[in-house]
Amino acid sequence: MKTAAFIGTGNMGGALARAACRAIGPDEVVLTNRTAGKAQALAQELGCAAAPDNDRAVEQAHYIFLCVKPQMMQGVLEQLAPTLRRCHEAGQEKVLVSVAAGLRLADLSRFAQGAGYSPLVLRLMPNTCVGVGQGVTALCAPEGAGEEALAQVERILSQSGLVTRIPEGQMDAFSALAGCGPAFACLFLEGLADGGVLAGLPRALAMEYAFRMVLGTCAMALERGKHPGVLKDEVCSPGGSTIAGVAALERAGFRAAAMDAVLAAWRRSGELGG
């Protein structure tokens, strides 16, 4: 019996599968996808196994990561219900881990309750940075879920970046900040690079300088544990160029715009979740 199966090998499913292969080894991972060739190609690249269909993948693993689109989730779970029931009767308990945005634990459990059996369902929300091992992922579980299941999911994804447990009521806020945040950060990075070009830097260098500056600033903030306002003050000399740039950002409402972006994403996430 393998440790983890990934149903769906798109961008996010593929990224999580890569992280799992690094953490627990490719021999413990099986993949499947609606387009079989896609799963087979990724399995060959990672050195793990590919299953011919979802039911076979479920039969082969203990933790089943459901990396399918939210609108497909109900159909996938209803189709898997008889297999889940058979495995349960054979003493092979499965833990389902949904990566579908907006679907609540109650909805997921209802979808999976076919054939008179209700497996444990966890909810996972990763961001795209898991693909390079620098992701932030939120994990939540129904009340009464065992520590072993949560710890195992954390172990499987230990090479994806930070995996943090939060209450389900915070999932939309997490998604708005950490899930949507890479897009917001990319807009900022693009703007910084454009500013560098406007000031006379070649485009390629301006982009690399912007990327490395933000990467280094984040690493410094995490390592030193200082409030970002303190780190900002340490760079701003009286009457200098940095404080002039900070003043320009403040006049443009930069911080308020960042807050508004997160709130807009949070409200929309709630709407999509029903």
Side-chain angles (χ1 to χ4, degrees):
M1 182 69 63
K2 297 181 184 297
T3 300
F6 290 84
I7 295 178
T9 55
N11 291 335
M12 189 57 71
L16 292 174
R18 291 176 190 279
C21 285
R22 292 195 299 269
I24 61 176
D27 290 346
E28 293 296 321
V29 176
V30 60
L31 313 177
T32 187
N33 193 72
R34 183 170 54 174
T35 303
K38 190 171 184 178
Q40 291 167 358
L42 182 60
Q44 184 173 7
E45 176 190 338
L46 299 179
C48 61
D53 54 52
N54 295 347
D55 293 288
R56 292 288 296 279
V58 167
E59 291 170 352
Q60 293 180 43
H62 185 44
Y63 289 83
I64 315 301
F65 289 79
L66 301 162
C67 308
V68 301
K69 297 182 186 303
Q71 62 269 26
M72 297 173 59
M73 184 64 75
Q74 182 171 359
V76 169
L77 286 174
E78 288 176 350
Q79 177 257 320
L80 288 176
T83 299
L84 292 167
R85 171 70 182 237
R86 287 196 302 272
C87 292
H88 167 69
E89 292 173 344
Q92 299 175 357
E93 297 298 335
K94 309 295 179 179
V95 176
L96 306 182
V97 186
S98 168
V99 189
L103 291 179
R104 307 295 193 249
L105 285 169
D107 299 322
L108 294 162
S109 294
R110 188 176 70 254
F111 297 160
Q113 279 177 357
Y117 166 64
S118 181
L120 174 61
V121 182
L122 308 179
R123 188 176 167 200
L124 194 74
M125 180 56 63
N127 71 3
T128 57
C129 305
V130 299
V132 293
Q134 295 291 328
V136 185
T137 298
L139 173 65
C140 72
E143 188 175 348
E147 170 65 23
E148 180 182 356
L150 293 166
Q152 279 283 58
V153 171
E154 290 171 337
R155 182 177 76 90
I156 293 166
L157 299 180
S158 61
Q159 294 300 306
S160 69
L162 175 68
V163 180
T164 179
R165 303 181 193 181
I166 64 173
E168 186 172 29
Q170 295 178 2
M171 287 292 273
D172 286 345
F174 172 88
S175 178
L177 176 59
C180 302
F184 307 154
C186 284
L187 285 176
F188 179 53
L189 286 167
E190 187 179 23
L192 289 174
D194 285 346
V197 173
L198 186 61
L201 289 173
R203 168 65 64 181
L205 285 178
M207 291 180 66
E208 182 172 5
Y209 295 158
F211 297 166
R212 291 188 180 278
M213 177 277 297
V214 171
L215 183 65
T217 303
C218 292
M220 180 174 62
L222 288 170
E223 181 177 317
R224 296 184 180 176
K226 292 183 178 180
H227 189 282
V230 174
L231 295 175
K232 178 263 295 178
D233 289 347
E234 291 176 352
V235 187
C236 292
S237 302
S241 56
T242 305
I243 194 64
V246 169
L249 288 173
E250 292 290 359
R251 285 193 296 272
F254 176 75
R255 285 190 291 180
M259 293 167 65
D260 286 346
V262 174
L263 287 175
W266 171 68
R267 292 189 187 102
R268 183 57 176 157
S269 182
E271 292 168 359
L272 293 172

